[in-house]
Amino acid sequence: MPQLDESFLDSVDALESLDSRGSLRALATAGAQVRRAFVAAREAGIDRVAGGDRPRSVLVASLGGSAVVCDVLDVLAEPGSPVPLTTRREAPLPGWIGPLDLVIAVSQSGRAAGPLALAAEAARRGAALLTVGAPDSPLADVAARGRGVHVDIASDAPSSRAALWSMLTPVLLAADGLGLVDCPEPVLERVADLLDERAEECRPSSESFVNPAKVIAVGLAETVPVVLGDGALTGVAAGRAAAMLARTARMPATHGALPDAASQVVATFDGPFTSSGGGNAAGRAPDGGRDIFADPYLDGPPAPQLGLLMVRDRPAPPDDPAGGASLEAVRLADAVTESAREAGVSVLEVEATGAHPIERLASLIALTDFAATYLALGLGLDPAVSRHVTELRDRTS
């Protein structure tokens, strides 16, 4: 089982020495990314997209560390978008895309094959085009040749995972201007402030027993993690958290959202990673905790324990039923966590803060991004460098 060194997490110097590309520092700039993206979008002429005629449909293309841009826009637009919005990771471009449609392509490097191919085909068909990515990149060139709008990403983040808000902000500004989502600049300014507050709360110098991101990292370190959102909005945050756990902390994690995922998640409580499923044979007490009398030489190493990270929306206030989790969602999430604890599952819960959906989503994503990065560092891993990912790129280049 992986072993996390809590003392390492409380040493700022140790964290900096292992974090070779400054992943923690990049996550702390999320609020600044939002503010810089405002300026970059205006300078690029985002009004040419947001202030024009409403398109017949919108297609958003992003993948990898940028893929959550699709998910965020999809969940925000779903309740009231006046036009269809679809997402696509790879080519081909759907046959119905034409001059009346808008294609948004996002890639931090501006070189991701899927968004690049989709943007190029959209330009060939005469569709309106908004691209977000590195300046002087192939994606920027496609936008220029297609008379689209390209927003430069002014970020030195070590990966697209750490540059989320540089990529997402211009897309939200354009979508708000087109009336696809309700996300005006004042809301995004509050998001920037919230991200600053989260960065201060999760700073490296904050000790592990008070730093919420470090608490999550410690709690997940010796588990097989399942990340579960209590609804559609938190389901996006759960998907992002699972991706960060896998790509940043190298922890294989599954994810889902209630109500659809309730049965499949609860079914795992009968499996080999819980005490009720017989998973207490090696180093586990009957309640699922660590057996202090277990002998690692005679009994073998402790078996991994199932860990549930429940990502929860704030309860909806009485005067705004759409402003959070419904009573039914709260009850279902409570029932799942109660079942998990009874089965000996290690349960951690995080709850969104803020009023607007994008604020609540930002509060969750920022916290779990920091948690995954601290988990990587606590396990002795550089968050931004994976030997196997590098080898995969070499073998497929």
Side-chain angles (χ1 to χ4, degrees), residues 279-285 288-292 294-295 299-303:
N280 60 327
R284 290 290 173 194
R290 185 184 297 277
D291 184 355
I292 61 174
D295 187 326
D299 301 324

Side-chain angles (χ1 to χ4, degrees), residues 138-238:
L139 190 61
D141 182 60
V142 166
R145 288 188 282 108
R147 288 187 280 187
V149 174
H150 179 78
V151 179
D152 292 339
I153 291 181
S155 173
D156 55 357
S159 68
S160 57
R161 303 186 305 282
L164 169 61
W165 295 98
S166 292
M167 297 181 289
L168 180 57
T169 302
V171 176
L172 291 176
L173 286 172
D176 177 77
L178 291 169
L180 308 182
V181 301
D182 175 26
C183 197
E185 286 194 21
V187 169
L188 289 172
E189 288 168 359
R190 296 203 303 270
V191 168
D193 292 340
L194 184 152
L195 291 170
D196 287 343
E197 293 169 5
R198 188 66 91 188
E200 173 64 21
E201 187 180 30
C202 298
R203 66 191 184 279
S205 60
S206 175
E207 294 181 321
S208 56
F209 62 89
V210 295
N211 185 319
K214 292 181 181 180
V215 170
I216 295 171
V218 172
L220 292 179
E222 297 183 6
T223 71
V224 177
V226 176
V227 191
L228 186 62
D230 65 357
L233 187 77
T234 52
V236 172

